[in-house]
């Protein structure tokens, strides 16, 4: 479940834009001028450290359309517990435990094929692992972070769509000393999380194959090198350009521009365009171009949006999202353009924010998407339709409820496993 703050759509996930204001600059930013008091000793750095995290209760249910595939469900309680020291000589240490504990009485029977594995390891077991563990150096407008960390860049991101987000073993650096501009560079070696496949709690080489056992595949890849420039010097317009070197997979150039404005009448308008070019490496079959656009309007708590993506790739080639949820405007709760060989995707949606109608904290959204394409991961073409219904309710300042229902149907491959299904996901979150 993707929640995009700052867009007109609120909880509606058709605009996954990693804009200047989203990229760590509103949190403990790579590029932010940090306001902090230096600790006077190592002991005080630990004594004055900060604890934060979240507790999440999550339930998932999947009804498969194929008659030979069992329906599955699961419940888990877990979350993140993070401790970060205060700065001492501009340095700090941080570590975060990621935990998923199965609630057996509210989960399917594994032996009967009724257990949904999205919250658990490949054996359907609970787990706990060190999702973050890094050292950080911050001075003026420069930030350097080394170790396990959460990232939000267009082709590597946390994509927090199940119980726990993705995290990465990486070196990342950012500089924000140029007005309205952020420069970012980094190297990523491994990752863990739901999107990484196999054992969620095991860090795997990136790029690389998906592990099928307790140990990750070691295929000799050299990781990912990335560099990005984000700029907001033009009023109401945010621009970004990124370069990625995915070893043995592809070189990728990605760029987008998003224009946002609000009129005195209260009408809000957002429009964006994006482009990506994939150049194949080591016969990976990852090559092609993506272009897309989005337009949305909002007034008095009601928002409407439309988005499209077009993929152009030669026969036998395809594109990928990267490592996470991807940046493309047509990404929905379940279906994306990942793996498309050639084709188009269209999404339209609407959201009502009931806060404007005296129901504070409540939002309802609906999105419809159609994906017409050749898909490398299935035989032949696909004509996938998805309908998403999303409810979000802010129970309190530090607690919220998210519920999503997705109906996915492939009219060209109606009997393909995990193509036709109905999925319900509910998450109750408490933040501290």
């Amino acid at each position: 479940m993707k929640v995009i703050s700052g867009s007109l759509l609120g909880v509606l996930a058709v605009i996954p834009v990693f804009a200047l204001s989203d990229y760590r600059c509103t949190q403990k930013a790579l590029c932010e001028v940090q306001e902090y008091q230096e600790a006077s000793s190592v002991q005080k750095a630990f004594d004055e450290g900060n604890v934060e995290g979240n507790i999440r209760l999550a339930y998932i249910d999947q009804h498969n359309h194929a008659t030979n595939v069992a329906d599955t469900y699961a419940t888990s309680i877990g979350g993140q517990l993070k401790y970060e020291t205060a700065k001492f000589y501009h340095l700090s240490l941080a570590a975060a435990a990621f935990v998923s504990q199965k609630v057996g009485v509210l989960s399917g029977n594994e032996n009967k094929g009724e257990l949904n594995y999205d919250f658990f390891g490949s054996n359907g077991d609970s787990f706990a692992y060190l999702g973050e563990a890094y050292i950080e150096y911050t001075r003026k407008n420069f930030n350097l972070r080394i170790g396990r960390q959460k990232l939000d860049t267009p082709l590597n991101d946390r994509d927090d769509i199940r119980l726990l987000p993705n995290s990465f073993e990486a070196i990342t650096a950012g500089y924000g000393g140029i007005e309205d501009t952020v420069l970012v560079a980094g190297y990523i070696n491994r990752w863990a999380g739901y999107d990484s496949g196999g054992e969620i709690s095991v860090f795997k080489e990136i790029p690389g194959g998906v592990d099928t056992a307790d140990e990750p595949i070691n295929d000799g890849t050299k990781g990912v090198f990335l560099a990005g420039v984000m700029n907001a010097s033009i009023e109401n317009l945010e621009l970004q350009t990124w370069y990625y070197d995915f070893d043995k997979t592809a070189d990728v150039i990605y760029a987008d521009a998003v224009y946002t404005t609000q009129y005195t009448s209260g009408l809000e308008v957002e429009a964006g365009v994006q482009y990506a070019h994939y150049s194949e490496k080591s016969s990976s079959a990852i090559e092609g171009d993506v272009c897309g656009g989005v337009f949305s309007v909002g007034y008095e708590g009601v928002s409407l949006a439309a988005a499209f993506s077009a993929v152009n790739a030669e026969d036998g080639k395809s594109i990928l999202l990267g490592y996470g949820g991807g940046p493309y405007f047509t990404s929905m709760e379940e279906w994306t353009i990942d793996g498309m060989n050639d084709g188009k995707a269209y999404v339209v949606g609407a959201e009502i924010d009931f806060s404007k109608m005296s129901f504070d904290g409540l939002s309802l959204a609906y999105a419809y998407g159609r994906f017409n394409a050749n898909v490398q991961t299935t035989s032949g073409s696909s004509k996938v339709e998805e309908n998403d219904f999303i409810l979000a309710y802010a129970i309190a300042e530090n607690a919220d409820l998210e519920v999503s229902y997705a109906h996915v149907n492939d009219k060209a491959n109606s009997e393909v496993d995990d193509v036709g299904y109905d999925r319900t996901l509910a998450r109750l979150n408490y933040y501290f």
Side-chain angles (χ1 to χ4, degrees):
M1 183 181 302
K2 306 177 187 71
V3 178
I4 309 303
S5 62
S7 75
L8 292 177
L9 297 179
V11 298
L12 186 57
V14 299
I15 312 181
V17 177
F18 297 96
L20 183 66
S21 60
D22 299 319
Y23 185 78
R24 280 223 203 129
C25 295
T26 56
Q27 301 171 7
K28 292 229 176 156
L30 275 175
C31 47
E32 187 179 42
V33 178
Q34 299 292 326
E35 297 292 340
Y36 61 86
Q37 186 71 35
E38 284 272 349
S40 59
S41 67
V42 172
Q43 181 64 48
K44 288 191 175 181
F46 281 91
D47 291 343
E48 298 169 7
N50 180 59
V51 176
E52 62 182 17
N54 73 295
I55 299 172
R56 173 175 285 168
L57 176 65
Y59 171 80
I60 190 168
D61 177 281
Q62 180 166 319
H63 167 67
N64 296 295
H65 297 174
T67 56
N68 60 336
V69 181
D71 297 340
T72 63
Y73 66 100
T75 304
S76 182
I77 186 169
Q80 306 166 56
L81 178 62
K82 181 176 180 179
Y83 172 77
E84 185 168 10
T85 69
K87 297 290 186 184
F88 180 63
Y89 285 102
H90 309 288
L91 291 170
S92 61
L93 301 174
F98 287 15
V99 178
S100 174
Q101 177 62 50
K102 183 193 298 183
V103 182
V105 295
L106 299 176
S107 298
N109 187 306
E110 185 177 355
N111 295 327
K112 295 181 180 180
E114 298 172 341
L115 178 65
N116 189 296
Y117 287 79
D118 286 6
F119 301 151
F120 313 117
S122 60
N123 294 322
D125 297 328
S126 306
F127 58 77
Y129 67 102
L130 201 60
E132 291 187 271
Y134 60 80
I135 182 171
E136 183 175 77
Y137 175 83
T138 304
R139 187 177 178 87
K140 295 183 179 180
N141 298 94
F142 177 76
N143 179 282
L144 176 67
R145 184 177 288 185
I146 302 173
R148 294 183 177 180
Q149 56 191 281
K150 289 179 286 192
L151 295 176
D152 283 318
T153 81
L155 297 182
N156 297 95
D157 68 271
R158 70 185 73 190
D159 196 28
D160 189 8
I161 60 173
R162 290 296 185 265
L163 190 77
L164 295 162
N166 302 324
S167 61
F168 303 81
E169 291 186 355
I171 301 173
T172 52
Y175 179 70
I178 304 171
E179 186 177 1
D180 296 321
T181 301
V182 176
L183 306 177
V184 179
Y187 166 75
I188 305 170
N189 183 37
R190 300 195 299 171
W191 71 324
Y194 172 73
D195 289 331
S196 71
E199 290 293 340
I200 292 173
S201 61
V202 175
F203 280 80
K204 310 159 189 70
E205 286 194 345
I206 176 175
V210 173
D211 68 315
T212 57
D214 290 339
E215 295 298 325
I217 285 176
N218 186 340
D219 58 7
T221 57
K222 297 179 181 178
V224 177
F225 293 90
L226 61 94
V229 180
M230 293 167 283
N231 181 271
S233 58
I234 302 174
E235 185 178 4
N236 300 329
L237 181 65
E238 294 187 350
L239 306 168
Q240 61 178 341
T241 300
W242 293 79
Y243 168 76
Y244 294 85
D245 177 358
F246 293 108
D247 185 49
K248 298 185 178 179
T249 303
D251 290 324
V252 185
I253 296 173
Y254 172 83
D256 69 39
V258 177
Y259 177 82
T260 306
T261 189
Q262 181 171 350
Y263 297 96
T264 54
S265 63
L267 180 69
E268 298 174 277
V269 175
E270 183 167 294
V273 293
Q274 62 186 178
Y275 172 77
H277 174 71
Y278 296 76
S279 299
E280 181 183 20
K281 298 174 67 176
S282 304
S283 301
S284 67
I286 302 299
E287 185 168 279
D289 296 281
V290 180
C291 63
V294 65
F295 180 79
S296 67
V297 294
Y299 181 74
E300 293 296 327
V302 178
S303 302
L304 302 173
F308 81 92
S309 297
V311 180
N312 182 19
E314 297 179 359
D315 290 344
K317 312 288 186 181
S318 64
I319 62 95
L320 51 74
L321 293 183
Y323 298 86
Y328 297 112
F329 295 146
T330 51
S331 292
M332 299 190 70
E333 285 290 298
E334 298 295 326
W335 211 255
T336 70
I337 62 172
D338 190 35
M340 271 194 181
N341 167 256
D342 196 28
K344 295 179 174 62
Y346 307 91
V347 174
V348 294
E351 182 197 6
I352 301 176
D353 180 0
F354 289 95
S355 297
K356 302 286 187 179
M357 306 171 192
S358 301
F359 292 95
D360 288 346
L362 178 65
S363 294
L364 293 175
Y366 167 75
Y368 167 81
R370 185 177 180 89
F371 300 78
N372 299 329
N374 294 322
V375 182
Q376 295 300 100
T377 54
T378 64
S379 58
S381 62
S382 69
K383 294 181 180 179
V384 175
E385 292 184 349
E386 178 175 342
N387 290 271
D388 292 341
F389 298 87
I390 304 170
L391 176 149
Y393 178 60
I395 301 169
E397 185 177 355
N398 58 346
D400 61 56
L401 173 67
E402 307 164 299
V403 181
S404 69
Y405 169 79
H407 172 80
V408 179
N409 183 39
D410 187 344
K411 294 185 175 181
N413 300 281
S414 60
E415 297 303 314
V416 175
D417 293 357
D418 202 34
V419 170
Y421 57 90
D422 299 302
R423 180 172 291 166
T424 302
L425 176 66
R427 307 192 305 187
L428 182 62
N429 304 293
Y430 173 75
Y431 306 93
F432 57 89

